[in-house]
Amino acid sequence: MIKYRLMTVEDVPAVHHIEQIAFPTPWTLDSFYYEMEKNPQAHYFVAVNDEEKVIGFCGMWVVLDESQITNVAVLPEGRGKGIGEALMREAIAYAKSLDVVVMSLEVRVSNVVAKNLYHKLGFQDGGIRKGYYTDNQEDALVMWVNL
């Protein structure tokens, strides 16, 4: 059974490992420590399995009544099982509890699986950020949802 909870400093190495597997230009380990220890706008959630192993995470920043999803990733063996969706639902519920009224994110224009998930969660297509991704200059689709 998968459990979902707020991320702690102790989860940083496992989250960083997932980040390295999932993204061509991963955040650094120090970036995640900064998020947990020094960024009051950062709120992260993890998915853990029965052995308490972190198998996925979702991060967001909350500023006033707006939220920005920073990253969502699941280990390859956990993909396609609804874990990413559940993490996003945790983030959305938490944002609502903080009186957030709008949530946004960027996603690679080529990432059909992620875009389908975000549409399922009520996100709408916004603008395009040209050359947003530094690894290959791929465009990002900005998506948003009113909470």
Side-chain angles (χ1 to χ4, degrees):
M1 186 169 111
I2 307 299
K3 293 181 281 187
Y4 302 89
R5 61 170 170 77
L6 284 169
M7 182 177 158
T8 66
V9 172
E10 291 76 25
D11 297 319
V12 166
V15 165
H16 181 248
H17 173 72
I18 296 167
E19 174 87 359
Q20 289 179 301
I21 292 169
F23 299 110
T25 53
W27 286 19
T28 65
L29 187 64
D30 286 344
S31 295
F32 284 107
Y33 278 116
Y34 177 85
E35 291 290 275
M36 289 292 95
E37 298 173 331
K38 297 187 170 135
N39 184 354
Q41 286 80 36
H43 304 273
Y44 283 72
F45 302 87
V46 292
V48 295
N49 64 14
D50 290 333
E51 292 82 41
E52 293 298 315
K53 177 184 175 185
V54 176
I55 59 171
F57 74 98
C58 176
M60 69 177 171
W61 295 329
V62 175
V63 178
L64 301 175
D65 63 351
E66 296 182 4
S67 173
Q68 167 78 27
I69 296 293
T70 57
N71 37 17
V72 182
V74 176
L75 284 173
E77 61 266 25
R79 293 178 189 160
K81 299 178 181 176
I83 296 168
E85 178 179 344
L87 283 163
M88 285 293 298
R89 290 188 185 280
E90 289 286 324
I92 289 167
Y94 191 78
K96 285 180 179 178
S97 78
L98 298 176
D99 296 323
V100 167
V101 297
V102 66
M103 180 177 277
S104 64
L105 55 80
E106 290 91 11
V107 60
R108 289 178 186 267
V109 294
S110 65
N111 192 341
V112 175
V113 172
K115 289 190 299 186
N116 286 342
L117 168 61
Y118 303 142
H119 284 136
K120 179 179 179 182
L121 294 171
F123 282 79
Q124 299 175 27
D125 294 354
I128 297 287
R129 295 195 199 278
K130 293 284 187 190
Y132 182 81
Y133 293 98
T134 58
D135 63 312
N136 64 357
Q137 283 62 59
E138 184 173 355
D139 296 344
L141 171 64
V142 178
M143 301 183 77
W144 59 274
V145 64
N146 287 320
L147 303 179

